[in-house]
Amino acid sequence: MDIIKKGQEYNTKFNFLNLCMQTLNLHPQYVKGEHDEPLGVFLTVSEFQSILDELEELEDIKAADIFENRKDKEFVPFREALDEIKNGLVK
């Protein structure tokens, strides 16, 4: 996952967000209210889908890391491990 590897070079959330926008080729359009307060963001469907794809990959990486760092290193079927993670049984 290129975005994660590149993200390790940055140490602030702001820089990481800028990197995400560049890597995913995002061009958000901001909607502001009457007093210039932020109300929302418009993205194209493909931009939104690329964000969802990256989030899904991050979720998979997190699940793998949690499993790898288990104290009881015994084998657990993948579906059972996912259920344990979703139910908060594994931290």
Side-chain angles (χ1 to χ4, degrees):
M1 168 181 256
D2 291 337
I3 197 165
I4 296 299
K5 291 175 187 170
K6 290 180 185 175
Q8 293 170 350
E9 300 169 11
Y10 290 82
N11 58 3
T12 67
K13 289 181 183 179
F14 179 75
N15 285 337
F16 187 69
L17 284 174
N18 283 335
L19 174 68
C20 291
M21 287 178 38
Q22 292 169 8
T23 304
L24 297 174
N25 197 23
L26 301 179
H27 302 93
Q29 296 178 7
Y30 298 94
V31 178
K32 294 188 177 183
E34 182 178 324
H35 302 287
D36 214 27
E37 73 276 11
L39 297 177
V41 178
F42 283 109
L43 297 170
T44 65
V45 172
S46 63
E47 289 171 336
F48 181 70
Q49 187 60 51
S50 67
I51 291 171
L52 292 179
D53 292 344
E54 289 295 324
L55 287 173
E56 186 175 315
E57 189 167 345
L58 284 173
E59 193 174 86
D60 293 345
I61 291 169
K62 181 179 176 183
D65 286 347
I66 289 170
F67 184 76
E68 183 64 31
N69 292 321
R70 290 174 62 127
K71 291 180 180 159
D72 62 348
K73 299 288 181 181
E74 68 184 54
F75 174 78
V76 176
F78 182 71
R79 292 283 176 212
E80 185 179 328
L82 285 179
D83 288 342
E84 288 180 13
I85 292 167
K86 286 179 183 175
N87 294 323
L89 300 174
V90 179
K91 294 183 181 184

